[in-house]
Amino acid sequence: MDAKAPDATVQTRRPRDSARTKAAILKAARDEFCEQGFNGARVDAIAARAKANKRLLYHYYGNKEALYQTVLLDAYKEIRNGERELSLRQHHPVEAIDRMVRFTFRHFLANPWFPRLLAVENLQNARFLKQITDLPALHSPLVTELQDIIRRGGEMGVFRPDVDPMQLYISIAGLGYFYVSNIKTLSVIFDRDLNDFAAIQEREAQAVQMVIDYLRAGHRQGE
């Protein structure tokens, strides 16, 4: 009697289950690291959060350090992919800056875990970031695009030409990072719910205006 053929549904289910389990572990690890820090995070807790076997966690990611590095790299890749999709070169310089500031602000707002993860890595003196071999994936394309936007804006007479794109990028990121990472304490200090939609809109609009006014300021002085 012929042996029973393997169930095709079982064969095709495994890759999907594997991908789902890996994604669940990665999400659970991100939450654990953001809440407990690197030193306080526990592999047992991550496995429990993911509802996954701890042996699978080690099988897919190696160890706690390697898992943390994967979480870190994945977080950077997510924001970098979003930045690339902006296609800022096709927009007028002022519109490009508007889009860039809003994207950065909204990314932090939609992913409040990201500022927390960055804070965790800064407490580690960026030692895990330095060990990531795929460093080019961490470099923001916006620095190069900012240089192009500043150049085009200068040629069109709308922006000052003497702006360091790296410093500008840090300023743009800082406007969103500080608001999101400190939204709880700021809400208490100023006795206002800064997570309110109107407050968020007001802050985003001010961030855009501050950056554009800065880029125009030097140009106006030179007129």
Side-chain angles (χ1 to χ4, degrees):
M1 183 175 179
D2 294 336
K4 186 177 179 181
D7 188 340
T9 60
V10 173
Q11 290 182 323
T12 56
R13 189 184 299 125
R14 284 175 181 169
R16 291 199 300 270
D17 287 347
S18 173
R20 188 182 300 115
T21 300
K22 290 175 72 174
I25 292 172
L26 203 61
K27 168 67 165 58
R30 188 187 74 192
D31 292 344
E32 178 74 6
F33 287 126
C34 287
E35 291 177 17
Q36 305 299 329
F38 175 77
N39 295 329
R42 295 290 178 265
V43 172
D44 286 339
I46 294 170
R49 281 176 182 262
K51 296 181 173 59
N53 190 301
K54 190 167 66 171
R55 287 178 297 177
L56 280 178
L57 185 153
Y58 286 120
H59 172 71
Y60 290 135
Y61 295 105
N63 55 31
K64 175 181 168 181
E65 289 76 10
L67 177 57
Y68 174 74
Q69 282 189 333
T70 303
V71 168
L72 199 59
L73 181 59
D74 188 68
Y76 273 99
K77 283 182 176 179
E78 184 176 331
I79 190 171
R80 297 308 176 233
N81 288 338
E83 290 171 346
R84 290 186 180 90
E85 290 172 3
L86 290 173
S87 302
L88 296 176
R89 286 188 173 87
Q90 68 183 7
H91 298 288
H92 183 280
V94 175
E95 175 67 15
I97 291 296
D98 184 291
R99 287 172 176 266
M100 180 184 298
V101 176
R102 291 183 191 279
F103 165 79
T104 306
F105 182 85
R106 291 175 186 181
H107 185 82
F108 284 127
L109 194 66
N111 303 283
W113 56 265
F114 187 44
R116 291 198 292 270
L117 185 63
L118 296 183
V120 169
E121 180 59 8
N122 275 287
L123 287 172
Q124 295 294 322
N125 294 313
R127 68 186 179 100
F128 290 99
L129 202 58
K130 295 171 186 174
Q131 297 171 23
I132 293 176
T133 56
D134 193 15
L135 278 176
L138 308 184
H139 298 161
S140 175
L142 291 191
V143 175
T144 300
E145 296 212 53
L146 274 172
Q147 191 169 29
D148 178 68
I149 293 167
I150 293 164
R151 177 189 59 76
R152 289 193 291 119
E155 291 172 354
M156 296 171 67
V158 295
F159 287 161
R160 55 190 291 180
D162 61 336
V163 176
D164 183 328
M166 184 197 73
Q167 293 290 354
L168 181 59
Y169 176 76
I170 292 172
S171 296
I172 291 172
L175 287 169
Y177 182 98
F178 184 84
Y179 188 86
V180 173
S181 64
N182 295 278
I183 197 166
K184 299 297 184 183
T185 52
L186 290 171
S187 294
V188 173
I189 290 170
F190 294 111
D191 192 24
R192 181 182 176 187
D193 181 9
L194 296 182
N195 207 34
D196 176 72
F197 183 68
I200 289 171
Q201 281 192 312
E202 181 183 352
R203 180 58 188 168
E204 181 181 89
Q206 185 172 89
V208 171
Q209 197 62 52
M210 287 175 70
V211 175
I212 291 176
D213 284 351
Y214 164 71
L215 289 171
R216 285 173 166 166
H219 169 67
R220 289 172 179 165
Q221 290 174 2
E223 289 182 336

